[in-house]
């Protein structure tokens, strides 16, 4: 009893520390936004910097871009996911589709954005293919990437979020008794697609609202994907904030903090707009359900299937293009393949990429290992309060990370490896808890009771009974945590302050250079660093439990 109490208090202490860091980050933004920044000797509150932020050239358009691209990409991903499920859940090969979606989910956002850019750019693979068919030999003079309306950014975000929402929706689908519902609406004369959309889709949507809100928050405030695919004059609001917060002049941080407060306001508007869309959609759905129409949704679903498969194909081809460009020699337009494949790019730029890969792996390894231990502690002692740990996913990074950077500056804490690791844990830990929650609670408690009944110490029971049964899920959680850490751009940029660099910060920095061979090489290294641990997570349990069939699937 006493030991359980200690574990509970330790777990609660972890939650309090995590929540305190987030709240401190918010405070570290709000105070400078209102003119209080002791580092520069400013202690009197003032609205001067909020006014300055609102007069930054292009800031109003930047706000509209963040709001519009975030809402549109989230709505696109959400609707496409539900329509795809309506079309494919009854097919036997549906599970094969999920096997295809999982690796795409592991690809870092920046690498995926680079790959998509290589396909849809005016000199990309898609245009080269069209040029060969149409017979022109120069790239068209049209703005596709970094277009002023952010359409390429919307497609890039939707391409990355559809696999995530798809996996979340499949998990939720298992809780809705879809087979039983399908038998009922089929007996009433509904075709599968119409019946699924009227009966099952609302239940699935209700269960994935939290992941959808996380996607909306991310899309409204994303930085790395916006730098690669988004407009630049003006950029989105999050990119504008990053520029101010990275400026060498510390007084610029006051305006950057004020912009971060405005970004929080934009996010609140986005949430209100989404809730209004939910209300309108609910009214439309009720009217459609009451109409009694039993057919008619098939065309819409077919269009959604074509759209999603097209988008996923662009993403997959984009990853392949990273490989090709990293080995490409001379490659003129409109050739579909380079004149030669060479290792010169790797011999020239590979050592630099490997030099930053070391810190990347070190940060990811330590943050994943620490988060794994904390996740087990939280699952053992504080499951009722796990909602607090997801705050880091529901608050835009660009809102509270500048505050943490400001507080570090005020407390004279320099950028360091451990500072970066500490902030990465804030984002790795929620995903670890999500990955382990189901398997941890699914263990039959009788195993533990039998071991305790034999007089075994509780800690030894945990090490010798619980952990071995969690081997597969634990490795999967570690792989997810590793990939999340590798993909972190803004935390490394703001907290590392240029002293701690990773493959992600270097890759995004290369985006403005335009050398596709170097970008392809860095994007490929980043992708491999994030994806390879998933291979280990799949293979290792099969090897260790090769003589125990019941344990091979975790």
């Amino acid at each position: 009893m006493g030991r359980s109490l200690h574990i509970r208090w330790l777990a609660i202490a972890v939650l309090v520390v995590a929540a305190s860091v987030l709240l401190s980050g918010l405070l570290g933004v709000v105070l400078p936004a209102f003119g209080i920044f002791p580092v520069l000797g400013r202690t009197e509150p003032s609205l001067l910097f909020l006014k300055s932020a609102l007069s930054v050239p292009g800031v109003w358009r930047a706000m509209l871009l963040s709001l519009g691209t975030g809402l549109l990409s989230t709505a696109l991903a959400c609707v496409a996911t539900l329509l795809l499920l309506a079309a494919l859940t009854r097919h036997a090969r549906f599970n094969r589709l999920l096997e295809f979606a999982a690796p795409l989910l592991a690809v870092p956002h920046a690498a995926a954005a680079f790959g998509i850019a290589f396909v849809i750019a005016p000199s990309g693979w898609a245009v080269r293919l069209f040029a060969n068919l149409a017979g022109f030999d120069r790239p068209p003079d049209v703005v596709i990437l970094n277009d002023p309306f952010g359409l390429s950014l919307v497609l890039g975000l939707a391409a990355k979020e559809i696999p995530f929402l798809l996996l979340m929706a499949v998990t939720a689908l298992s809780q809705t008794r879809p087979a039983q519902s399908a038998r009922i609406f089929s007996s009433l004369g509904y075709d599968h697609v119409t019946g699924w959309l009227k009966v099952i889709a609302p239940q699935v949507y209700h269960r994935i609202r939290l992941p959808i809100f996380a996607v909306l928050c991310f899309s409204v405030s994303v930085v790395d994907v916006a730098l690669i695919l988004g407009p630049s004059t003006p950029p989105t609001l999050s990119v504008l904030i990053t520029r101010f917060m990275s400026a060498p002049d510390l007084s610029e941080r006051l305006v950057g903090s004020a912009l971060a407060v405005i970004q929080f306001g934009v996010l609140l508007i986005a949430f209100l707009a989404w809730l209004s869309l939910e209300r309108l959609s609910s009214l439309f759905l009720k009217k459609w359900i009451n109409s009694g129409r039993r057919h008619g949704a098939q065309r819409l679903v077919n269009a959604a299937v074509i759209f999603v498969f097209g988008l996923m194909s662009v993403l997959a081809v984009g990853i392949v293009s990273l490989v090709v460009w990293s080995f490409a020699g001379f490659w003129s337009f409109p050739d579909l393949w380079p004149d030669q494949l060479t290792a010169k790019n790797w011999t020239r730029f590979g050592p630099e990429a490997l030099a930053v890969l070391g810190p990347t792996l070190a940060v990811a390894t330590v943050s994943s290992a620490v988060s794994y231990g904390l996740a087990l502690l939280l699952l053992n002692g504080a499951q009722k309060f796990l909602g607090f740990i997801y705050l880091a996913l529901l608050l835009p990074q660009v809102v509270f990370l500048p505050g943490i950077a400001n507080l570090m500056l005020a407390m004279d804490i320099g950028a360091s490896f451990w500072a970066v690791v500490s902030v990465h844990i804030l984002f790795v830990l929620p995903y670890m808890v999500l990955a382990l929650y189901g398997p941890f609670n699914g263990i039959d408690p009788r195993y533990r009771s039998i071991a305790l009944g034999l007089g075994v110490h509780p800690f030894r029971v945990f090490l010798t009974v619980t952990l071995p049964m969690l081997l597969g899920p634990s490795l999967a959680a570690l792989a997810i945590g590793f990939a999340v850490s590798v993909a972190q751009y803004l935390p490394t940029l703001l907290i590392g302050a240029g002293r701690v660099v990773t493959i992600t910060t270097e890759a995004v920095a290369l985006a403005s250079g335009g050398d596709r061979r170097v970008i392809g090489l860095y994007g490929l290294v980043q992708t491999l660093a994030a994806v390879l641990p998933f291979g280990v997570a799949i293979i290792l349990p099969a090897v260790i439990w090769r003589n125990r069939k019941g344990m091979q699937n975790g």
Side-chain angles (χ1 to χ4, degrees), residues 85-342:
L85 283 174
L88 300 181
T89 46
R90 62 177 173 173
H91 290 286
R93 294 185 178 180
F94 178 63
N95 290 332
R96 299 299 300 270
L97 173 69
L98 295 180
E99 292 175 4
F100 180 70
L104 294 178
L105 186 62
V107 176
H109 282 82
F114 282 131
I116 291 171
F118 285 176
V119 175
I120 67 173
S123 58
W125 250 346
V127 179
R128 287 169 186 263
L129 179 62
F130 181 72
N132 278 276
L133 297 173
F136 58 88
D137 58 2
R138 291 180 184 276
D141 187 18
V142 293
V143 180
I144 301 176
L145 285 179
N146 313 118
D147 62 284
F149 300 105
L151 296 178
S152 55
L153 175 60
V154 168
L155 289 178
L157 289 171
K160 268 300 288 170
E161 301 308 343
I162 285 174
F164 171 68
L165 289 181
L166 185 62
L167 293 177
M168 293 294 104
V170 168
T171 303
L173 184 63
S174 61
Q175 304 167 13
T176 62
R177 299 181 178 180
Q180 187 177 4
S181 298
R183 282 195 295 272
I184 294 172
F185 64 65
S186 296
S187 66
L188 293 174
Y190 286 87
D191 66 36
H192 176 79
V193 167
T194 305
W196 199 96
L197 290 175
K198 287 190 173 185
V199 177
I200 301 176
Q203 301 178 56
V204 173
Y205 177 83
H206 179 72
R207 285 170 170 79
I208 62 170
R209 282 184 85 205
L210 184 62
I212 289 173
F213 288 156
V215 168
L216 179 62
C217 174
F218 177 82
S219 301
V220 169
S221 58
V222 65
V223 176
D224 49 359
V225 181
L227 279 168
I228 298 166
L229 295 175
S232 55
T233 50
T236 60
L237 186 57
S238 55
V239 175
L240 206 56
I241 295 169
T242 307
R243 287 180 185 173
F244 276 93
M245 294 306 298
S246 304
D249 184 357
L250 289 180
S251 62
E252 298 285 294
R253 291 196 177 196
L254 293 162
V255 180
S257 298
L259 287 170
V261 171
I262 294 172
Q263 172 76 72
F264 189 68
V266 171
L267 179 67
L268 291 180
I269 293 172
F271 277 128
L272 288 175
W274 189 265
L275 293 175
S276 301
L277 283 173
E278 279 186 344
R279 183 64 62 89
L280 287 173
S281 303
S282 175
L283 293 174
F284 170 78
L285 191 61
K286 285 180 181 175
K287 187 176 180 181
W288 185 46
I289 291 173
N290 293 334
S291 70
R293 293 179 182 173
R294 288 162 168 74
H295 307 279
Q298 191 63 49
R299 289 184 179 177
L300 179 64
V301 168
N302 289 342
V305 170
I306 293 171
F307 171 76
V308 172
F309 275 94
L311 202 56
M312 293 301 105
S313 299
V314 169
L315 181 56
V317 172
I319 302 304
V320 174
S321 72
L322 293 178
V323 181
V324 177
W325 272 109
S326 71
F327 288 99
F330 183 72
W331 192 356
S332 62
F333 189 89
D335 294 345
L336 289 173
W337 197 255
D339 290 348
Q340 60 176 342
L341 295 177
T342 173

Side-chain angles (χ1 to χ4, degrees), residues 20 24 82 94 104 117 261 295 388 423 529 546 554:
S20 300
S24 300
L82 291 176
F94 178 63
L104 294 178
V261 171
H295 307 279
F388 289 102
V423 175
R546 60 188 179 279

Side-chain angles (χ1 to χ4, degrees), residues 114 228 349 352-353 489 503-523:
F114 282 131
I228 298 166
F349 302 108
E352 297 175 11
Y489 170 71
I503 193 73
T504 301
T505 56
E506 290 298 287
V508 176
L510 290 168
S512 58
D515 188 337
R516 294 186 183 183
R517 292 166 184 80
V518 187
I519 293 173
L521 188 150
Y522 273 75

Side-chain angles (χ1 to χ4, degrees), residues 432 435-436 470-482 533-534 536-538 541:
M432 286 269 195
L436 288 171
L470 282 176
L471 177 65
S474 295
L475 290 172
L478 284 167
I480 291 171
F482 200 91
F534 284 90
V536 176
I538 294 171

